[in-house]
Amino acid sequence: MKITKDLYQGSLALLTDFYQLTMAYAYWKSGKAEQEAVFNLFFRKHPFQGGFTLAAGLDYVIDYCKNFKFGKEDIHYLSEMKDKDGERLFDPGFLDYLSNMKFTCDIDAVEEGTVVFPNAPMIRVKGPLIQCQLLETPLLNIFNFQTLIATKAARINLAAKGEPVLEFGLRRAQGIDGALAASRASYIGGCTSTSNVMAGKLFGIPVSGTHAHSWIMSFETELEAFEAYADAFPDQCIFLVDTYDTLNGVKNAIKVGEALRSRGKEMVGIRIDSGDLAYYSNKAREMLDEAGFPDAKIVASNDLDEHIITSLKGQEASINVWGVGTKLVTAFDQPALGAVYKLSAIRIENGTYVPKIKISQQSLKINVPGFHNVKRYYSKGMAVADMIYLEDQEINPKGIVIIDPIDSTRRKRIMPYFYQEEILLKPIFREGKQVYTSPDLSTIRNRAASQLESLDKTHKRMVNPHLYPVGLEENLHHLRTELVLKAQKLDQKDEK
Amino acid sequence: MKITKDLYQGSLALLTDFYQLTMAYAYWKSGKAEQEAVFNLFFRKHPFQGGFTLAAGLDYVIDYCKNFKFGKEDIHYLSEMKDKDGERLFDPGFLDYLSNMKFTCDIDAVEEGTVVFPNAPMIRVKGPLIQCQLLETPLLNIFNFQTLIATKAARINLAAKGEPVLEFGLRRAQGIDGALAASRASYIGGCTSTSNVMAGKLFGIPVSGTHAHSWIMSFETELEAFEAYADAFPDQCIFLVDTYDTLNGVKNAIKVGEALRSRGKEMVGIRIDSGDLAYYSNKAREMLDEAGFPDAKIVASNDLDEHIITSLKGQEASINVWGVGTKLVTAFDQPALGAVYKLSAIRIENGTYVPKIKISQQSLKINVPGFHNVKRYYSKGMAVADMIYLEDQEINPKGIVIIDPIDSTRRKRIMPYFYQEEILLKPIFREGKQVYTSPDLSTIRNRAASQLESLDKTHKRMVNPHLYPVGLEENLHHLRTELVLKAQKLDQKDEK
């Protein structure tokens, strides 16, 4: 096994759930493989009990779809699968079909760095049923994780109130691209840099880092260790002061800072990675100020997240730079976003699309049917509401009512002519051809920042945020209600 | 950006924290780069408030080390890094040194599928300081995650009491190999199969899966959908019954089951993915039994973990097969294992190794010094205690006292001649040459099963497990105590 080669050099077409392949086979066998369908990827609840979610992952999705192809080895693997009687599971005709399959879907999606809300599609896939289905799992894998981390990063950066947040989660991240994709998403969410050098190389994210406790321990004394480090990096010394005794470490940092100054250099600051960060940062600040280093930064780390940063700020800790690892890159308090991918329409023989719904005992779990998109209304640059609407139906331009998909008594009237509007799902692929190119990462990061700016601060509250209005346009609401009732009748028909 | 190519085809040498590189540079500059050191990778606390941890990830580590090499692009990337004055950050001599660097370390590690305990090393790396340091982050990334998931899988499988557990976490996993590595670790921990086809192909894990709600929804009625599926897979039908109405779904499954039977085929069972699993599984069991399908399996899924499975078993739910996704592959309730990698000895000019310690206000965080290994004592096949001991010191064979590393009043006397013993760290690399080959995955999985068998059930309790004794051999205990006291004095020396 070679993680550097075998794992990723080949095709990623098999990066999907087995049931997508069994369904693909059954679609093929029943002649439905190329029936056109529409699927939507969306989530039902913001992560972290928050009031917003920040979309990320589209560039990976584009890459995945562009390169979507079953390779020879994939086909060989599938051809060897047996059923319980030892017969080949898949018909050779089906495997031929798979090896000749070309990606031909239309995909529309929200741009990376867009603030998104429950029930509204982040990605819409239209195309042959079999392709839509095979894409379900990889699209969810990519979008669920990267959106989750971008959101966590945005929350942490909001808590840091503009002070730099350094991401250094690689050692605790869930796998190799659990780290790489997290570094990218963290940067989109507002982090200043990553410790992950490979993420720096691949994505152009600034990298940062100084030294570890082991550096100190490899010398006879802490002072010697600081001196040797200052010798190698006279311009960018941040001394880790807590290997043995934090305040004694600060004293040693000051000594080396003074020596640097006598050579015309300035130490950048110190880092504290353990103990009571409020107490030690304030003590260290006093010591640094008294010694004539008022500009030396204090970097703090040790299992920080948005809540601990908020608490440290409330205690007036003297921390200027926040190092965040585990809690960010694993989204520790909620390590998965529950986004789903649901069929919302299917084309029947006469060429029309039939809207589809999955009913459920929990109304939260009933999806939005039809071929829909999302429109955001802005007033003076601030987002006021999102409307989910059917693309092929006209909307009354004079007055719109949007209706909450869960509680239909929650309604909001919108006068569109007062507002600017933005259609959130942008065309990404048309008949398998890429029609959208991802902007560079810093443009995405800027979009995230301005999207967060456009959101009222009450929606960005860490705890108990104010609910941003997202609703179904009236026609869509009526369609959905009708389908739910019809589906319930359908069950009864099945029962006979 | 190409996830399928750029991300993984090149070298993974930069998959490390930037501070490893700044330290590497400073070691090189201060002439310490090739000073020999010993580092240990260990954790301080079992995950999930459990009583054991199951090691996994070694095969990835072997692969990483075997292929460890800075590529041309890596060196180019580093050569372009600038300090704040716009000068090149790294001296070209250092970059030459990196490009010629060959992996030459000795590595000892616990085999995959070994049950492990806090403070005892899982991996020991001995070699040039600069190499040991560069390996820190990738080794932690690999071992932290895979060990975490193998442990979670073992817990879930213990809760399922021998009934099959299917892993299908791909869509919620943290990234691509967040999923692949999780599937592998889950299989080691006892799962029967994965839904991830790529994991099946790469690692030879059995794959499983049937169909989704969208399969049902793409047909006019649920019954038609079941019929079409039965047509494609007459031998392995598990019908998902909860798209519209669960009990009505069971009725439809029975109808198709009867039709299959008339063709000489048997349906395998049904799957329930929502609602009250205890209630619906018992209702479905009754219906299936009455209809003459007592052997039809009931597969349940929906955010299951070891606690929910235990609770469902307590309620006598009629579930035969457990489908587990999100909670397993993200280790939802504790998504990171806090393993660390600490310097424990360094070789000085006269050729002797000086043991090293990092002291801390929290005694939990003080590491074990020296060049040590772990011995496990077994009595009649059951593990009774682990001893951490210095490899170069003789141990009194007649009577050993092991001392808890946190609370030195907790001691246990061991009479070695009553016991079988196993040295847990096995040689993996010697001077950079691989001397160990990973067994195949099913052998690893069997080792995990027999290791778990060797552990008393009180240590495997889900909540409040009995503490398994792990202690320092007396010489090591004395060395550690001495070093702590000395380190405290050293601080005072620095202060002058």
Side-chain angles (χ1 to χ4, degrees):
Chain A
M1 199 264 308
K2 277 195 140 192
I3 45 172
T4 43
K5 296 253 170 72
D6 300 353
L7 225 57
Y8 299 99
Q9 273 196 356
S11 123
L12 290 179
L14 293 187
L15 187 77
T16 198
D17 287 314
F18 186 58
Y19 78 4
Q20 311 291 8
L21 281 158
T22 53
M23 283 191 281
Y25 182 57
Y27 283 132
W28 179 83
K29 261 205 111 156
S30 58
K32 287 167 69 81
E34 311 221 345
Q35 192 175 357
E36 289 253 322
V38 182
F39 281 77
N40 294 285
L41 192 153
F42 61 96
F43 61 90
R44 295 185 178 115
K45 208 169 168 297
H46 291 299
F48 319 119
Q49 310 189 345
F52 70 91
T53 295
L54 190 62
L58 181 58
D59 203 24
Y60 273 63
V61 165
I62 291 174
D63 183 65
Y64 186 89
C65 294
K66 237 167 52 182
N67 296 292
F68 182 75
K69 175 120 192 67
F70 284 88
K72 270 188 194 159
E73 285 179 24
D74 300 332
I75 298 296
H76 176 75
Y77 173 73
L78 296 176
S79 75
E80 297 286 300
M81 294 187 118
K82 302 282 184 345
D83 69 13
K84 64 177 178 186
D85 301 329
E87 302 289 318
R88 290 204 167 181
L89 192 62
F90 298 115
D91 187 295
F94 171 66
L95 297 177
D96 275 353
Y97 179 86
L98 283 189
S99 33
N100 295 319
M101 185 191 285
K102 282 198 179 68
F103 171 69
T104 58
C105 296
D106 285 2
I107 293 189
D108 296 74
V110 297
E111 292 188 281
E112 292 194 273
T114 301
V115 166
V116 287
F117 298 93
N119 300 304
M122 295 192 286
I123 308 183
R124 185 181 73 197
V125 181
K126 183 183 133 201
L129 200 41
I130 193 168
Q131 291 184 34
C132 292
Q133 204 76 75
L134 289 166
L135 289 175
E136 172 175 12
T137 318
L139 263 51
L140 283 170
N141 174 273
I142 293 167
F143 240 70
N144 260 325
F145 178 53
Q146 299 192 31
T147 297
L148 183 75
I149 301 302
T151 307
K152 189 71 177 171
R155 288 171 60 84
I156 290 172
N157 277 277
L158 284 169
K161 296 184 186 295
E163 287 167 354
V165 175
L166 321 176
E167 174 271 309
F168 44 48
L170 173 54
R171 66 186 55 199
R172 303 278 167 80
Q174 298 204 344
I176 295 170
D177 56 27
L180 289 167
S183 295
R184 183 176 179 276
S186 298
Y187 188 64
I188 291 174
C191 291
T192 314
S193 67
T194 179
S195 72
N196 183 340
V197 190
M198 198 166 159
K201 178 185 148 196
L202 290 169
F203 305 124
I205 305 171
V207 297
S208 67
T210 54
H211 60 251
H213 296 121
S214 53
W215 170 263
I216 309 295
M217 289 162 69
S218 79
F219 288 82
E220 266 298 295
T221 67
E222 187 181 60
L223 193 59
E224 278 174 63
F226 287 174
E227 285 165 348
Y229 196 79
D231 213 46
F233 296 102
D235 280 320
Q236 40 199 58
C237 280
I238 293 180
F239 298 113
L240 179 61
V241 294
D242 67 346
T243 306
Y244 303 117
D245 174 281
T246 304
L247 299 181
N248 196 42
V250 178
K251 284 185 201 163
N252 284 329
I254 290 171
K255 272 183 214 163
V256 182
E258 285 163 347
L260 273 170
R261 196 172 271 175
S262 70
R263 291 161 58 196
K265 304 284 185 185
E266 262 318 281
M267 74 161 155
V268 177
I270 62 162
R271 178 157 82 98
I272 308 173
D273 185 44
S274 62
D276 190 310
L277 296 176
Y279 172 80
Y280 283 115
S281 67
N282 285 337
K283 278 280 174 197
R285 184 74 274 158
E286 270 174 36
M287 290 164 72
L288 289 165
D289 288 353
E290 268 175 36
F293 293 94
D295 295 330
K297 305 273 184 228
I298 299 179
V299 185
S301 52
N302 194 14
D303 278 345
L304 299 179
D305 66 8
E306 65 271 43
H307 303 295
I308 296 174
I309 292 174
T310 302
S311 156
L312 285 166
K313 285 199 163 275
Q315 297 167 69
E316 299 184 329
S318 303
I319 296 168
N320 313 106
V321 181
W322 307 84
V324 183
T326 315
K327 299 275 169 84
L328 168 55
V329 301
T330 66
F332 200 87
D333 53 336
Q334 189 193 318
L337 177 70
V340 295
Y341 179 90
K342 295 288 172 195
L343 177 70
S344 72
I346 195 158
R347 199 176 186 179
I348 56 169
E349 272 160 33
N350 68 14
T352 58
Y353 275 93
V354 179
K356 285 281 178 177
I357 205 156
K358 182 201 171 303
I359 65 169
S360 168
Q361 269 93 340
Q362 297 164 267
S363 59
L364 180 70
K365 285 202 168 182
I366 299 176
N367 67 306
V368 179
F371 193 70
H372 53 271
N373 204 326
V374 191
K375 201 174 269 184
R376 179 161 300 161
Y377 293 100
Y378 294 94
S379 169
K380 295 174 189 158
M382 298 302 284
V384 292
D386 282 13
M387 173 179 75
I388 310 173
Y389 64 101
L390 292 164
E391 270 201 346
D392 55 356
Q393 297 223 358
E394 220 173 291
I395 297 163
N396 176 359
K398 288 193 186 143
I400 293 167
V401 174
I402 60 170
I403 300 158
D404 186 280
I406 315 298
D407 174 1
S408 65
T409 64
R410 285 178 66 101
R411 295 173 181 222
K412 187 181 169 78
R413 181 166 297 277
I414 292 172
M415 299 296 171
Y417 41 82
F418 288 136
Y419 300 126
Q420 300 83 52
E421 56 181 56
E422 184 187 6
I423 293 175
L424 293 189
L425 293 183
K426 321 274 184 191
I428 311 296
F429 286 96
R430 281 296 170 267
E431 294 177 11
K433 289 226 166 57
Q434 190 182 341
V435 295
Y436 172 91
T437 308
S438 279
D440 62 29
L441 200 57
S442 64
T443 307
I444 294 172
R445 188 167 181 266
N446 289 339
R447 174 169 173 87
S450 72
Q451 281 273 302
L452 288 165
E453 275 293 309
S454 76
L455 206 60
D456 188 76
K457 66 178 184 211
T458 58
H459 305 307
K460 293 181 282 194
R461 208 183 287 140
M462 295 295 147
V463 182
N464 292 332
H466 181 203
L467 201 67
Y468 176 85
V470 179
L472 306 180
E473 186 274 336
E474 273 183 291
N475 290 318
L476 181 53
H477 169 74
H478 294 314
L479 172 69
R480 186 166 180 258
T481 308
E482 194 184 298
L483 285 171
V484 172
L485 300 174
K486 196 175 143 200
Q488 288 165 349
K489 283 196 197 118
L490 209 71
D491 283 340
Q492 289 153 24
K493 197 180 85 184
D494 274 4
E495 231 166 313
K496 283 168 207 156
Chain B
M1 200 263 309
K2 278 192 138 195
I3 45 172
T4 43
K5 297 252 169 71
D6 300 354
L7 226 58
Y8 298 100
Q9 274 198 355
S11 123
L12 289 179
L14 292 188
L15 188 77
T16 198
D17 287 314
F18 186 58
Y19 79 4
Q20 311 291 8
L21 281 158
T22 53
M23 284 192 282
Y25 181 57
Y27 283 132
W28 178 81
K29 263 205 111 157
S30 58
K32 286 167 70 82
E34 311 222 344
Q35 193 175 356
E36 289 252 324
V38 181
F39 282 78
N40 294 285
L41 191 152
F42 61 96
F43 61 89
R44 295 184 178 115
K45 209 169 167 301
H46 290 301
F48 319 119
Q49 311 188 346
F52 70 89
T53 296
L54 189 63
L58 180 58
D59 202 23
Y60 272 62
V61 165
I62 291 173
D63 183 66
Y64 186 89
C65 294
K66 237 167 53 181
N67 295 291
F68 182 75
K69 175 116 190 69
F70 284 88
K72 269 189 195 158
E73 284 180 22
D74 300 332
I75 298 295
H76 176 74
Y77 172 74
L78 296 175
S79 75
E80 297 285 299
M81 295 187 117
K82 301 285 182 346
D83 70 12
K84 65 176 177 186
D85 301 328
E87 302 287 318
R88 291 200 165 184
L89 192 63
F90 298 116
D91 188 296
F94 171 67
L95 298 178
D96 275 355
Y97 179 86
L98 285 189
S99 34
N100 296 321
M101 186 191 283
K102 283 196 179 69
F103 171 68
T104 58
C105 295
D106 285 3
I107 293 189
D108 295 73
V110 296
E111 292 188 282
E112 294 193 271
T114 301
V115 165
V116 286
F117 298 93
N119 300 304
M122 294 191 286
I123 308 183
R124 185 181 72 195
V125 181
K126 184 183 132 198
L129 199 40
I130 193 167
Q131 291 184 35
C132 293
Q133 203 77 74
L134 288 166
L135 290 175
E136 173 176 10
T137 318
L139 264 52
L140 283 170
N141 175 273
I142 293 167
F143 241 70
N144 260 325
F145 178 53
Q146 299 192 32
T147 298
L148 182 75
I149 301 302
T151 308
K152 188 72 178 171
R155 289 170 60 83
I156 289 171
N157 277 279
L158 284 169
K161 296 184 186 293
E163 286 167 354
V165 175
L166 321 176
E167 174 271 309
F168 43 48
L170 173 55
R171 65 187 56 200
R172 304 278 167 81
Q174 299 204 344
I176 295 170
D177 54 27
L180 289 166
S183 296
R184 183 177 180 275
S186 297
Y187 189 65
I188 291 174
C191 290
T192 314
S193 68
T194 179
S195 72
N196 184 341
V197 190
M198 196 166 161
K201 178 185 149 195
L202 290 169
F203 305 124
I205 305 170
V207 297
S208 67
T210 55
H211 60 251
H213 296 121
S214 53
W215 170 262
I216 310 295
M217 290 162 68
S218 79
F219 288 82
E220 266 298 295
T221 68
E222 188 181 58
L223 193 60
E224 278 175 63
F226 286 174
E227 284 165 348
Y229 196 80
D231 212 49
F233 296 102
D235 279 321
Q236 39 199 60
C237 280
I238 293 180
F239 298 113
L240 178 61
V241 294
D242 67 346
T243 305
Y244 305 118
D245 175 280
T246 303
L247 298 182
N248 195 43
V250 178
K251 284 184 201 164
N252 284 328
I254 289 171
K255 273 182 215 163
V256 182
E258 284 163 347
L260 273 169
R261 197 172 272 175
S262 71
R263 293 161 57 195
K265 303 285 185 184
E266 261 319 279
M267 76 161 153
V268 178
I270 61 161
R271 178 158 81 97
I272 308 173
D273 184 43
S274 61
D276 191 309
L277 296 176
Y279 173 79
Y280 283 115
S281 68
N282 285 337
K283 277 282 173 195
R285 184 74 274 157
E286 272 175 36
M287 292 163 71
L288 289 164
D289 288 354
E290 270 175 34
F293 293 95
D295 296 331
K297 304 276 185 225
I298 299 180
V299 186
S301 52
N302 193 15
D303 278 346
L304 299 180
D305 66 8
E306 65 272 43
H307 304 294
I308 296 174
I309 292 174
T310 302
S311 157
L312 284 166
K313 286 198 163 276
Q315 296 167 69
E316 298 183 331
S318 302
I319 296 168
N320 313 106
V321 181
W322 307 85
V324 183
T326 315
K327 297 277 169 82
L328 167 55
V329 301
T330 66
F332 202 86
D333 54 336
Q334 188 192 319
L337 177 70
V340 294
Y341 180 89
K342 295 288 173 195
L343 177 71
S344 72
I346 195 158
R347 198 175 188 181
I348 56 169
E349 271 160 35
N350 69 13
T352 58
Y353 275 93
V354 179
K356 284 280 175 177
I357 205 156
K358 182 200 170 306
I359 64 168
S360 167
Q361 268 94 340
Q362 296 165 265
S363 59
L364 180 70
K365 284 201 168 184
I366 299 176
N367 67 306
V368 178
F371 193 71
H372 53 271
N373 204 326
V374 191
K375 200 173 269 184
R376 178 162 301 160
Y377 293 100
Y378 294 93
S379 169
K380 296 173 190 158
M382 297 302 285
V384 292
D386 282 12
M387 173 181 74
I388 310 172
Y389 63 101
L390 292 164
E391 270 203 344
D392 55 355
Q393 297 222 358
E394 221 172 292
I395 297 163
N396 177 0
K398 289 193 183 144
I400 293 167
V401 173
I402 60 170
I403 300 158
D404 185 279
I406 315 298
D407 174 2
S408 65
T409 64
R410 284 178 67 100
R411 296 174 180 222
K412 184 179 172 79
R413 182 167 297 276
I414 292 172
M415 299 294 174
Y417 42 83
F418 288 137
Y419 300 125
Q420 301 82 51
E421 56 182 54
E422 183 188 6
I423 293 175
L424 294 189
L425 293 183
K426 321 274 183 193
I428 311 295
F429 286 96
R430 283 294 172 266
E431 295 178 10
K433 290 224 165 57
Q434 189 181 341
V435 296
Y436 172 91
T437 307
S438 278
D440 62 30
L441 201 57
S442 65
T443 308
I444 294 173
R445 187 166 181 266
N446 290 339
R447 175 168 172 88
S450 73
Q451 280 273 303
L452 287 165
E453 276 292 310
S454 76
L455 206 60
D456 188 77
K457 65 177 185 211
T458 59
H459 305 307
K460 292 182 282 196
R461 207 182 289 140
M462 295 294 148
V463 182
N464 292 332
H466 181 203
L467 201 67
Y468 177 85
V470 179
L472 306 180
E473 184 273 336
E474 272 184 291
N475 290 317
L476 180 54
H477 169 74
H478 294 314
L479 172 69
R480 186 166 180 258
T481 309
E482 194 183 299
L483 283 172
V484 173
L485 300 174
K486 195 174 142 200
Q488 288 164 348
K489 283 197 197 119
L490 209 71
D491 283 338
Q492 288 153 24
K493 196 180 89 186
D494 274 3
E495 230 168 311
K496 281 167 207 155

